[in-house]
Amino acid sequence: MQPAGRAALKSAALLVVAITAVAGCEGSATTASPTTGSPTGSSEPGCPAVLATAKQAVEKAEDVNARWTGPTTGPQAAPRKSIVYVAQTMTNPGVAGVAKGVQEAAKVIGWDLRTIDGRGTPGGIRAAFSQAIALKPAGIVIGGFDPTSAPQQVQRANAAGIPLIGWHAVATPGPSKDPKLFSNITTRVEDVAKISADWIIARSNGHAGVVLFTDASIPFAKKKSDLIRRELATCSDVKVLNYESIPIAESNTRTITSVSSLLTRFGDRWTYSAAINDLYFDDAAPALRAARKRGDGAPFNIGAGDGDPSAFQRINGRQFQAATVPEPLSEQGWQIIDEFNRAFAGKRASGYVAPVHVTTAANSGGALSWDTEGYRTAYRKIWNK
């Protein structure tokens, strides 16, 4: 999924979503005061049924004690295997976080692991992938890049019978026929988009003026932001003020100017933001600070993306980001090893997709990452390790 450099944080599959508006009929939110973020000043929610549903979804997603819902059965550990993790770039916090999880799990299961850094360029990734194939490993991880950018390497690995498992390699989780992957590990973009929008609806009590930040040049990113917009439209008093497309690679140079312009145009009507990746808020902070906005005040910002350590730092410090929908990076690294173990045993992929989680200052516990409780114990039990 990840393009090079700062663009490394998203990828692949276009869906243009129609926007619909639906009004409902009961309930109220407790996650914010009745007038928080209301562009109209009204304390009555304009979408009570939608608000009640959103509140329930957010409460579930914010639970840090949710039980493990991943696999509890599977083949015991295969004897010593060698795995190569081909990283899009180890400067990408998501890619690096998963690599760390893979390394930890490989040590537990008793396998050898080698990581090769593609350094964020198409040529570098293809070279790293070719190097991985030359090592004749038992399996190769496609760590955060689109395998269609290295078609010859994918074909060679498939021909050699080397199973490929991706992390954010294609748009959807699970096995892939084209390109051929035993499995792809990612949360569902539909779930991430929906909970991001639901958080805004719930926290604002159904009254919000929202700016969406996206990179419309990346189909995966556009799909995510379109889905967020569609979910926001289910609440009649939540208004999308602007749909701001800024290429991720240019976020550090363009976001400050964009945010300054948005503040001039919308003033206090801009009460919430959602972005397809947390990094937009890192780049927005200087403009918000210059406008004398409070770090813990409006606009309240949620990142519908990986949840890198800098996002957690902003959230914990209440500095211009209120929430994120993080990927459970270490947990997904362990899942990659478990999926390889299933492949080596001739079994099907587990089909497990991690549920979405919402991190705020209230539930982060000061941590800089998120993973479900119990995954290490579950996988050790499966592997008899």
Side-chain angles (χ1 to χ4, degrees):
M1 95 160 167
Q2 323 288 1
R6 297 197 63 147
L9 294 166
K10 295 284 149 220
S11 76
L14 177 63
L15 176 66
V16 178
V17 184
I19 309 300
T20 56
V22 181
C25 55
E26 68 180 326
S28 62
T30 59
T31 53
S33 62
T35 57
T36 297
S38 171
T40 63
S42 170
S43 62
E44 293 299 320
C47 56
V50 171
L51 177 61
T53 301
K55 174 189 170 183
Q56 292 172 356
V58 171
E59 183 178 4
K60 181 179 179 182
E62 289 181 341
D63 184 5
V64 296
N65 297 310
R67 66 181 181 85
W68 170 247
T69 58
T72 55
T73 61
Q76 292 189 7
R80 198 174 192 95
K81 299 288 184 179
S82 61
I83 304 297
V84 179
Y85 184 97
V86 180
Q88 185 271 337
T89 172
M90 289 297 283
T91 63
N92 177 341
V95 172
V98 173
K100 184 177 180 180
V102 172
Q103 182 180 41
E104 183 183 75
K107 184 176 181 180
V108 168
I109 203 170
W111 296 351
D112 295 325
L113 174 71
R114 179 168 177 177
T115 298
I116 305 176
D117 192 344
R119 302 189 182 282
T121 67
I125 291 167
R126 287 191 290 269
F129 204 160
S130 293
Q131 185 181 351
I133 295 169
L135 293 172
K136 298 181 179 180
I140 296 175
V141 183
I142 296 176
F145 63 91
D146 182 353
T148 63
S149 67
Q152 293 181 356
Q153 286 78 7
V154 170
Q155 186 177 27
R156 285 166 52 200
N158 291 160
I162 302 172
L164 302 176
I165 292 180
W167 179 78
H168 287 206
V170 294
T172 56
S176 170
K177 291 183 178 180
D178 186 17
K180 185 180 177 182
L181 305 177
F182 180 77
S183 191
N184 180 57
I185 311 303
T186 181
T187 49
R188 291 188 179 92
V189 65
E190 295 84 358
D191 296 343
V192 172
K194 187 177 187 303
I195 200 64
S196 301
D198 284 348
W199 181 85
I200 291 174
I201 293 169
R203 195 188 189 287
S204 70
N205 203 40
H207 296 282
V210 185
V211 171
L212 294 179
F213 292 94
T214 190
D215 182 346
S217 69
I218 301 174
F220 184 89
K222 185 180 187 300
K223 174 182 178 179
K224 186 186 291 188
S225 54
D226 283 346
L227 289 168
I228 293 172
R229 182 160 60 178
R230 184 178 71 176
E231 181 68 12
L232 291 172
T234 64
C235 186
S236 58
D237 283 348
V238 172
K239 309 297 183 184
V240 175
L241 302 176
N242 209 64
Y243 190 77
E244 197 77 359
S245 179
I246 300 173
I248 291 177
E250 300 174 19
S251 176
N252 59 333
T253 58
R254 290 181 51 181
T255 301
I256 292 177
T257 302
S258 174
V259 169
S260 297
S261 175
L262 290 165
L263 288 168
T264 300
R265 287 175 61 191
F266 300 114
D268 291 341
R269 287 188 294 152
W270 178 14
T271 55
Y272 284 81
S273 311
I276 55 95
N277 195 275
D278 299 291
L279 69 87
Y280 286 99
F281 302 129
D282 187 27
D283 297 325
L288 294 169
R289 193 174 289 112
R292 298 184 182 277
K293 293 290 184 178
R294 289 176 45 181
D296 61 349
F300 300 99
N301 301 320
I302 182 168
D306 295 344
D308 64 78
S310 68
F312 277 75
Q313 288 174 340
R314 288 189 296 276
I315 291 166
N316 293 339
R318 294 175 170 82
Q319 289 298 306
F320 305 107
Q321 185 166 351
T324 188
V325 184
E327 293 278 355
L329 301 176
S330 179
E331 174 189 325
Q332 289 175 333
W334 279 64
Q335 183 182 351
I336 287 170
I337 292 296
D338 183 65
E339 301 294 358
F340 274 127
N341 196 49
R342 292 168 191 272
F344 300 151
K347 305 296 185 182
R348 293 181 179 180
S350 72
Y352 176 61
V353 181
V356 291
H357 177 73
V358 174
T359 291
T360 66
N363 71 356
S364 74
L368 298 179
S369 63
W370 159 256
D371 290 294
T372 306
E373 289 293 328
Y375 69 93
R376 289 183 177 90
T377 300
Y379 285 127
R380 281 179 176 271
K381 186 175 181 181
I382 292 171
W383 304 336
N384 194 26
K385 290 288 183 176

